Amino acid sequence: GREKLLTLGVGDSDSDSVVKQLTSLARKQLVEGGGHMTPAGTSGGGHMTPAGTGGGSHVTLSELLGLAVCMYSMVGEDCVDDASEEAELKESLADLILRHRESDAALIQSLGIEQSHSHTEVLERLGAVFTQLVGLGEARDQLKQFRHTYTQQQQSPLPYHPLLAQVVESIFHPSRPELPDIHHHSLSLAGMLKSGFSLFMSSARPRPNNHPLLLLFVVGGVTCSEVRQIRDIVTSHKSDTQVVVGATRLLTANDIIRQVLCTDPLRTSR
């Protein structure tokens, strides 16, 4: 898909930045796209990027936003070389929004942009949208083991390692690596005493796969692709632990865009 092509320029001074490539896609849509925009991401799964980004010369507004969400989450500040590039992307997105405010009204309204908004007002709202995008790259800063979702090496495109897949792989890996980002909490008195003593003496922490049943619940939602990845990892390790995956909802690409970029996540996620 296009998200793989966008990663080719990450860390390469001779290639356009991710944001510059997104701007080129937006401008191409403005020049050649015409009037019809088809909703994307209604297939019920896949990557963070909306369905359909891998083929054809045109991208929709929802696909552009999905690509931005994916890339900012994946590589953070490496998406852009300087602030002027983001300003150019905002201008192009504002033009697309104004052109397609009727054909993609639901998505545009979920971004906090009304039909009556002027170009200046749309740009102001996009400023808040980009603040949320930048925040995606910082969301895992406090993590130690699962901070990155791509391999930091000189390789193109960058190998992508989804967060949930990393967590499950680390839990079931035969080498039983330390899990510094997974915390064990016990409600029993014995468990709390053991946790307290472990501060003063070396003791092995319980692992999630020490039990016959592991419940993995994802607040915010999970995609079909992530569920498949979890199943494949557990199957490959031939574990006796049964894994049950739960979530607040099954996500589509448009759901992810709205949850990340909308003005009222609690209301929109219903």
Side-chain angles (χ1 to χ4, degrees), residues 14-71:
D14 296 326
S15 301
D16 288 339
S17 69
V18 169
V19 165
K20 200 166 185 178
Q21 293 180 68
L22 288 173
T23 303
S24 296
L25 289 172
R27 287 176 176 171
K28 189 170 185 178
Q29 171 65 17
L30 284 166
V31 172
E32 304 175 3
H36 183 61
M37 300 256 301
T38 55
T42 56
S43 61
H47 294 293
M48 247 178 142
T49 38
T53 56
S57 59
H58 303 304
V59 293
T60 66
L61 174 63
S62 60
E63 288 171 343
L64 279 168
L65 291 173
L67 285 167
V69 168
C70 177
M71 298 310 302

Side-chain angles (χ1 to χ4, degrees), residues 51-268:
T53 56
S57 59
H58 303 304
V59 293
T60 66
L61 174 63
S62 60
E63 288 171 343
L64 279 168
L65 291 173
L67 285 167
V69 168
C70 177
M71 298 310 302
Y72 271 88
S73 174
M74 182 175 173
V75 300
E77 61 184 12
D78 290 336
C79 277
V80 60
D81 289 336
D82 60 69
S84 64
E85 292 181 351
E86 277 192 351
E88 291 175 3
L89 178 55
K90 291 174 192 175
E91 286 282 352
S92 298
L93 286 175
D95 290 339
L96 273 177
I97 287 170
L98 290 171
R99 174 178 293 186
H100 299 289
R101 65 170 85 200
E102 293 184 3
S103 58
D104 219 351
L107 174 61
I108 291 171
Q109 188 174 9
S110 73
L111 299 176
I113 298 171
E114 302 296 336
Q115 294 277 337
S116 59
H117 279 178
S118 66
H119 188 272
T120 300
E121 290 171 319
V122 172
L123 277 177
E124 288 178 357
R125 175 55 198 149
L126 285 176
V129 166
F130 271 77
T131 297
Q132 290 164 281
L133 283 174
V134 172
L136 288 176
E138 303 169 351
R140 297 182 302 273
D141 281 356
Q142 302 303 314
L143 299 181
K144 300 175 182 178
Q145 184 178 6
F146 306 121
R147 185 173 182 179
H148 300 288
T149 57
Y150 66 95
T151 302
Q152 293 181 301
Q153 59 188 40
Q154 295 299 318
Q155 182 177 345
S156 295
L158 293 176
Y160 177 54
H161 305 292
L163 179 60
L164 276 179
Q166 287 189 60
V167 171
V168 176
E169 176 65 34
S170 297
I171 289 173
F172 287 96
H173 198 277
S175 66
R176 298 174 66 85
E178 290 293 322
L179 304 171
D181 295 323
I182 298 178
H183 302 282
H184 172 72
H185 296 279
S186 177
L187 297 179
S188 69
L189 177 60
M192 287 188 285
L193 289 173
K194 184 177 180 181
S195 298
F197 284 126
S198 68
L199 297 174
F200 306 100
M201 56 189 298
S202 177
S203 62
R205 284 200 234 170
R207 296 180 64 85
N209 60 327
N210 287 348
H211 304 276
L213 176 65
L214 171 60
L215 175 61
L216 180 63
F217 192 87
V218 186
V219 177
V222 67
T223 66
C224 291
S225 175
E226 289 172 321
V227 174
R228 284 194 298 269
Q229 290 167 355
I230 293 170
R231 179 198 62 191
D232 293 343
I233 291 170
V234 175
T235 301
S236 69
H237 288 300
K238 298 180 173 59
S239 173
D240 293 330
T241 300
Q242 180 185 5
V243 179
V244 177
V245 180
T248 48
R249 69 182 300 171
L250 187 63
L251 292 171
T252 67
N254 275 347
D255 290 331
I256 297 171
I257 295 170
R258 290 189 174 97
Q259 284 193 1
V260 172
L261 303 181
C262 71
T263 54
D264 188 349
L266 292 178
R267 178 181 300 175
T268 308

